[in-house]
Amino acid sequence: MAKVKYKFNPETLSYEKVERNLKSKIHRFLVFFSSSIVVGTVLAIIFLQFYETPKMRGLKLENQRLMSQYELMYQNLESIEEVLTDIQHRDDNLYRIIFEADPIPNSLRKAGFGGVNKYAHLENLDNSELVINTARKLDIIAKEAYIQSKSYDEVLKLALDKEQMLSSIPAVMPISNKDLKRTASGWGFRIDPVYKIRKFHYGMDFTAPIGTEVYATGDGVVKEVKTSRGGYGRWVVIDHGFGYETLYGHLNEFNVKKGQKVKRGSVIAYVGNAGKSTGPHLHYEVHKNGRAVNPQYYYFKDLTPQEYERMIAISSNMGQSYD
């Protein structure tokens, strides 16, 4: 049975029955419902603040595990970076030295990533600094590993070409000189036989009778066959590849022509006394990457260590060149 409410009327000094219409009922319901929602929301906020649901607890633990994994990954990436740095060091200072290749510039190995910030989508995450640093280090290591892989491809090609390179590099004396008696003026400052002044001698002279055979000191292609009244008179230049060229001057006659392929030991010409020469001899030069280098370092297939030291002593004692 519904409760009946009464209201005191001071004018009549009596209680009168309160009649409720539909509008007042709806208003009362809405007030009650709104109050319930507010109270429920406040209670829910207080409850969630001090109590974690199983799902929230699981998400929190998962987030902690992910952060631990990121930290471990970052440490592992630092270890990998150290190993990669050691590999790069050996690549530049061992393998490429052996095969006479230029090292990869550090600016290329350590080049960064320009342009748009590719990590912007990670900036709003919790622990974003760790996540971004890990992602960036991973990208850098991947790039350096790719460059190193390409470097090893090049080193492999150099290794496959090593046999050809060993056949091409000048490695013997250009004339028969078993007793070393034909060794004359060597590399360095000498007295010019014509002008009698101190000049740098960019090669080595070998005395020999006119007509003595002159040999190619490595495999290659004849680059020049020239004749002039002065200078080297008649000379041949052979391109051995790999940055090496050799020059043979003051020749009597040629045994090759321009463009001809020759092997180490091939007779390419004969000793003469042409050009600015004071006696029959061969002037021999070795060039590496366009610059003259000391030929005495390129007789390693001909001489024992004792013979090499003796040849150096003989060539150094000559105070005057022959050209």
Side-chain angles (χ1 to χ4, degrees), residues 9 20 27 45 48 55 75 100 120 125 128 168 175-176 188 200 227 236 245 248 251 259 269-270 292-293 308:
N9 188 343
R20 295 184 180 276
H27 175 74
I45 292 173
L48 294 176
K55 183 176 181 181
Q75 294 172 3
E100 300 186 44
L125 297 177
S128 60
S168 301
I175 65 172
S176 179
F200 198 92
T227 301
V236 170
E245 291 184 357
Y248 312 77
L251 304 172
Y270 302 91
V293 294
Y308 180 79

Side-chain angles (χ1 to χ4, degrees), residues 116-132:
V116 179
N117 179 13
K118 61 183 297 185
Y119 311 108
H121 64 288
L122 303 175
E123 292 176 351
N124 294 325
L125 297 177
D126 293 337
N127 299 294
S128 60
E129 183 177 356
L130 175 60
V131 175
I132 290 173

Side-chain angles (χ1 to χ4, degrees), residues 34-76:
S34 300
S35 301
S36 300
I37 291 177
V38 172
V39 172
T41 303
V42 171
L43 291 175
I45 292 173
I46 295 174
F47 178 80
L48 294 176
Q49 188 72 23
F50 297 98
Y51 176 79
E52 293 180 346
T53 64
K55 183 176 181 181
M56 290 178 62
R57 190 180 300 111
L59 290 174
K60 187 175 181 179
L61 291 174
E62 182 67 20
N63 187 52
Q64 291 174 349
R65 282 196 294 268
L66 287 174
M67 286 302 102
S68 298
Q69 290 174 1
Y70 263 104
E71 290 174 355
L72 182 61
M73 183 189 299
Y74 190 84
Q75 294 172 3
N76 290 339

Side-chain angles (χ1 to χ4, degrees), residues 2-135:
K3 291 182 178 181
V4 178
K5 290 189 177 184
Y6 293 89
K7 182 179 180 183
F8 181 75
N9 188 343
E11 293 181 359
T12 62
L13 299 176
S14 62
Y15 287 94
E16 295 178 355
K17 188 178 180 180
V18 177
E19 298 292 339
R20 295 184 180 276
N21 55 26
L22 179 62
K23 181 177 180 182
S24 64
K25 290 180 179 180
I26 293 175
H27 175 74
R28 187 164 179 259
F29 171 79
L30 291 176
V31 170
F32 177 79
F33 182 75
S34 300
S35 301
S36 300
I37 291 177
V38 172
V39 172
T41 303
V42 171
L43 291 175
I45 292 173
I46 295 174
F47 178 80
L48 294 176
Q49 188 72 23
F50 297 98
Y51 176 79
E52 293 180 346
T53 64
K55 183 176 181 181
M56 290 178 62
R57 190 180 300 111
L59 290 174
K60 187 175 181 179
L61 291 174
E62 182 67 20
N63 187 52
Q64 291 174 349
R65 282 196 294 268
L66 287 174
M67 286 302 102
S68 298
Q69 290 174 1
Y70 263 104
E71 290 174 355
L72 182 61
M73 183 189 299
Y74 190 84
Q75 294 172 3
N76 290 339
L77 288 175
E78 287 185 331
S79 299
I80 294 172
E81 190 173 37
E82 290 178 3
V83 173
L84 185 57
T85 299
D86 181 65
I87 292 174
Q88 293 169 352
H89 180 77
R90 283 188 280 122
D91 181 31
D92 288 339
N93 297 282
L94 179 60
Y95 308 135
R96 288 180 168 272
I97 294 298
I98 292 174
F99 297 112
E100 300 186 44
D102 294 329
I104 296 177
N106 195 56
S107 58
L108 178 59
R109 288 192 185 275
K110 304 296 183 181
F113 299 89
V116 179
N117 179 13
K118 61 183 297 185
Y119 311 108
H121 64 288
L122 303 175
E123 292 176 351
N124 294 325
L125 297 177
D126 293 337
N127 299 294
S128 60
E129 183 177 356
L130 175 60
V131 175
I132 290 173
N133 288 341
T134 303

Side-chain angles (χ1 to χ4, degrees), residues 122 129 159 169 249 264 271 312-313:
L122 303 175
E129 183 177 356
I169 291 176
R264 179 182 289 141
V271 172
I312 298 301

Side-chain angles (χ1 to χ4, degrees), residues 181-246:
K181 291 182 179 179
R182 289 176 171 173
T183 305
S185 180
W187 171 276
F189 283 99
R190 297 289 184 269
I191 301 300
D192 187 281
V194 176
Y195 303 112
K196 303 302 179 183
I197 59 174
R198 190 167 177 264
K199 292 182 64 177
F200 198 92
H201 189 233
Y202 291 96
M204 181 169 280
D205 292 340
F206 296 90
T207 57
I210 292 177
T212 300
E213 293 179 334
V214 177
Y215 308 116
T217 57
D219 297 356
V221 178
V222 178
K223 181 180 179 179
E224 295 180 7
V225 178
K226 291 191 174 182
T227 301
S228 67
R229 292 186 178 183
Y232 298 126
R234 300 184 187 89
W235 73 94
V236 170
V237 175
I238 296 177
D239 183 354
H240 301 277
F242 305 97
Y244 286 97
E245 291 184 357
T246 50

